[in-house]
Amino acid sequence: MSGSEKTESREESAGASQPSEVVAKGNAGSNSGKPVTAVSSADTKPPKTTGMRLEDLFKLLSMPDPKAEPKPMDEYKFWKTQPVTKFDDAIDAEGPIDSKTVDDVSKEPSPLPAGFEWSTIDISQPDKVQEIYDLLYANYIEDDDETFRFKYSPAFLDWGLKPPGWVKDWNVGVRVKDTGKLIGFISGIPGTLRLRTTNPDIKVAEINFLCVHKKLRSKRLAPVLIREVTRRVNLTGVWQALYTAGALLPSPITTARYYHRSINWPKLHDVGFTGLPSNSTPAKQVAKYALPSKPTLETLRPMTVEDVSEVHELLDTFLNRYELVPKFTEQETAHWLLDSVHASEHDKVIYSYVVTDSENKITDFVSFYGLESTVLGNSKYDSINVAYLFYYATTAGLGDNKSSDNESVLKSRLFVLIQNALILAKAKNFDVFNALSVQDNALFLEDLKFGAGDGFLNYYLFNYKAFPIHGGISKREKSLERKPGGIGVIMF
Ligand SMILES: CCCCCCCCCCCCCC(=O)SCCNC(=O)CCNC(=O)[C@H](O)C(C)(C)COP(=O)(O)OP(=O)(O)OC[C@H]1O[C@@H](n2cnc3c(N)ncnc32)[C@H](O)[C@@H]1OP(=O)(O)O
């Protein structure tokens, strides 16, 4: 994607003319980005710079691309009018920016350009979910090279848009008046966040799936959609929102990077997601990414509905490690980790597994979701099957965040737990496994052969000032950097 939306990301050094092994391009991610895999310097031969695009050169040199710098605040014609922190705002205290009451909120929808009309999309109707799918299928996030586009399935949308307490009015569409064709969409779902210990209960709308038909881009429809969803959320007495995007907007609370772990290397290479390092061969690449055929943790098994309460407690405790986390109810844990609506293998979106001890007590769990990306213009493959690391938790190494003993216990345990997730994802025919630099992922990504992607994901809070949070990467080089705390909330 081009720098302003969530992005799909691919491995950073794909492509024969490039020095390193690249993982997939990016529509795997969010507004710009799902990650591309970084190539290790050992795989790399000196780049030819003649004729190279400046942004490629910056990537090779691991320098921040100046295009990723914000434009002057005055040029954010829409965002400068919104209650969000500006790039140079000095944050003295955390908390809401504007305070209003429901009485202050307009009861009339925001005006639309002539020829268009508002439409609340009733996602309890399968044909309406299908309409959203059709819009996103053709128009949603692509990587910069227009090779991959996220393909959120109807089953995914059903799961992602219908957590407990979902609000019908927060699924906002714009249609062409004459034909009824859906040409714009934005969604909100309710949630509760804990920001450090000082802000334990922030009611938010999680905003996602902002999309305008390709033929109607740059006509300022996005701000109209955002204003309308804001109005509808505000009418329910909710004043804050969480959203992620590849686009650089005022002003991220953090930026994370996508990492990619090849599973089906030949396919990823064929579709241009990953490159062949100059010092390797296809056979060596396949050997490098080989995985055992079945899980190595003996007591690992699929999570069931009977596990919900134990997993809920384990996750809740584990999330205390991080600074920005979701506060799930038990019903929400059940929804996000067990997609009971789509139990069939065909429609499966979320995969969750638990590990038990000798007394049958759950000691660990790990989950990932499946999201295909359409491969554009490839004669051999029309999609890649991508697994994304979701929530996980373990009892290993809990306790004092700063103790190095705990840290090494946690590191060893997460290595095995996530390795087992990779094994399971392979058995389920996923081609690549993606993860962000958030949670405790910096502890295992490199050891498990994840490569840095070219996608970055910015996290934003609407109408809430907050001190910055570490996103798991260094400020300048954007390489993995381990720090305690960080982000524990995952959006898709
Ligand atoms: C309390 C409740 C609050 C609820 C609301 C909380 C806020 C939620 C915010 C939304 C969170 C969404 C989370 C996700 O879903 S991120 C996924 C975004 N979707 C895509 O990338 C899909 C493909 N792209 C498109 O469909 C269009 O390019 C979109 C729709 C993205 C922009 O359409 P278009 O290209 O035709 O542009 P325009 O002429 O209409 O409008 C231009 C203005 O829009 C600003 N822009 C561009 N991209 C984004 C973006 N990703 N988030 C926020 N703003 C964005 C841009 O800076 C400019 O404003 P300014 O620079 O002049 O100021």
Side-chain angles (χ1 to χ4, degrees), residues 1 4-6 30-32 71 75-80 139-142 185-186 205 207-213 216-223 225-226 229-231 233-234 238-250 462-463:
M1 306 226 79
S4 67
E5 347 299 322
K6 291 190 201 193
S30 47
N31 301 349
S32 122
K71 58 186 181 184
E75 289 176 25
Y76 286 97
K77 297 285 180 232
F78 168 65
W79 281 106
K80 73 178 178 185
N139 300 284
Y140 202 48
I141 300 172
E142 295 173 7
F185 182 69
I186 192 166
I207 304 295
N208 211 334
F209 301 117
L210 168 62
C211 186
V212 167
H213 193 286
L216 292 164
R217 295 276 165 87
S218 303
K219 297 187 186 307
R220 313 298 300 179
L221 278 172
L225 277 160
I226 296 168
V229 80
T230 303
R231 188 187 72 86
V233 170
N234 284 170
V238 174
W239 308 98
Q240 272 70 44
L242 171 71
Y243 49 105
T244 56
L248 185 55
L249 309 165
F462 183 89
N463 194 20

Side-chain angles (χ1 to χ4, degrees), residues 341-367:
V341 188
H342 305 104
S344 86
E345 269 307 296
H346 175 66
D347 278 346
K348 211 165 160 56
V349 176
I350 180 80
Y351 300 80
S352 301
Y353 300 86
V354 295
V355 183
T356 53
D357 64 14
S358 53
E359 281 151 21
N360 245 352
K361 206 172 154 22
I362 295 172
T363 53
D364 318 77
F365 91 91
V366 62
S367 60

Side-chain angles (χ1 to χ4, degrees), residues 61-367:
L61 297 175
S62 290
M63 283 167 63
D65 179 345
K67 275 195 316 199
E69 296 297 311
K71 58 186 181 184
M73 199 57 217
D74 202 47
E75 289 176 25
Y76 286 97
K77 297 285 180 232
F78 168 65
W79 281 106
K80 73 178 178 185
T81 67
Q82 298 300 299
V84 291
T85 49
K86 314 295 180 272
F87 289 105
D88 48 4
D89 274 355
I91 313 281
D92 45 359
E94 298 190 315
I97 297 170
D98 269 0
S99 59
K100 286 197 228 163
T101 68
V102 172
D103 287 345
D104 302 326
V105 181
S106 167
K107 307 297 175 287
E108 295 303 320
S110 323
L112 270 174
F116 299 103
E117 64 188 7
W118 291 114
S119 173
T120 298
I121 313 294
D122 179 2
I123 56 168
S124 62
Q125 306 296 319
D127 61 323
K128 296 292 181 287
V129 175
Q130 183 69 33
E131 267 193 291
I132 302 170
Y133 167 80
D134 291 341
L135 175 71
L136 300 182
Y137 175 78
N139 300 284
Y140 202 48
I141 300 172
E142 295 173 7
D143 67 307
D144 283 340
D145 300 342
E146 300 174 4
T147 311
F148 302 101
R149 187 186 302 133
F150 285 124
K151 185 181 168 190
Y152 287 90
S153 65
F156 194 112
L157 295 169
D158 240 9
W159 171 72
L161 294 178
K162 287 190 204 157
W166 67 276
V167 183
K168 185 175 148 193
D169 263 6
W170 294 6
N171 295 292
V172 185
V174 172
R175 294 183 188 277
V176 176
K177 241 185 206 160
D178 286 350
T179 61
K181 187 178 166 65
L182 184 68
I183 53 84
F185 182 69
I186 192 166
S187 70
I189 54 171
T192 306
L193 297 176
R194 174 182 65 71
L195 175 62
R196 306 191 181 88
T197 47
T198 39
N199 308 271
D201 195 20
I202 309 173
K203 297 275 176 266
V204 291
E206 293 180 13
I207 304 295
N208 211 334
F209 301 117
L210 168 62
C211 186
V212 167
H213 193 286
K214 284 187 171 202
K215 293 210 168 122
L216 292 164
R217 295 276 165 87
S218 303
K219 297 187 186 307
R220 313 298 300 179
L221 278 172
V224 187
L225 277 160
I226 296 168
R227 277 189 217 278
E228 180 57 11
V229 80
T230 303
R231 188 187 72 86
R232 293 177 182 213
V233 170
N234 284 170
L235 280 176
T236 67
V238 174
W239 308 98
Q240 272 70 44
L242 171 71
Y243 49 105
T244 56
L248 185 55
L249 309 165
S251 150
I253 185 173
T254 199
T255 302
R257 185 167 193 169
Y258 276 97
Y259 281 75
H260 310 278
R261 207 285 183 189
S262 299
I263 296 177
N264 185 351
W265 188 88
K267 178 171 172 185
L268 295 176
H269 184 251
D270 280 355
V271 298
F273 185 86
T274 191
L276 178 63
S278 51
N279 58 354
S280 190
T281 63
K284 279 190 195 164
Q285 292 303 104
V286 170
K288 174 177 173 184
Y289 293 113
L291 285 163
S293 59
K294 46 182 212 299
T296 60
L297 285 164
E298 267 174 28
T299 61
L300 181 142
R301 60 167 173 79
M303 179 179 165
T304 69
V305 72
E306 284 77 37
D307 300 321
V308 167
S309 140
E310 240 185 302
V311 167
H312 174 73
E313 211 182 309
L314 177 64
L315 177 61
D316 200 50
T317 307
F318 190 77
L319 288 176
N320 283 328
R321 310 174 51 71
Y322 308 120
E323 289 161 278
L324 184 67
V325 299
K327 276 180 62 175
F328 292 141
T329 60
E330 215 168 286
Q331 289 88 332
E332 286 169 328
T333 299
H335 175 84
W336 290 123
L337 298 181
L338 291 174
D339 180 6
S340 43
V341 188
H342 305 104
S344 86
E345 269 307 296
H346 175 66
D347 278 346
K348 211 165 160 56
V349 176
I350 180 80
Y351 300 80
S352 301
Y353 300 86
V354 295
V355 183
T356 53
D357 64 14
S358 53
E359 281 151 21
N360 245 352
K361 206 172 154 22
I362 295 172
T363 53
D364 318 77
F365 91 91
V366 62
S367 60

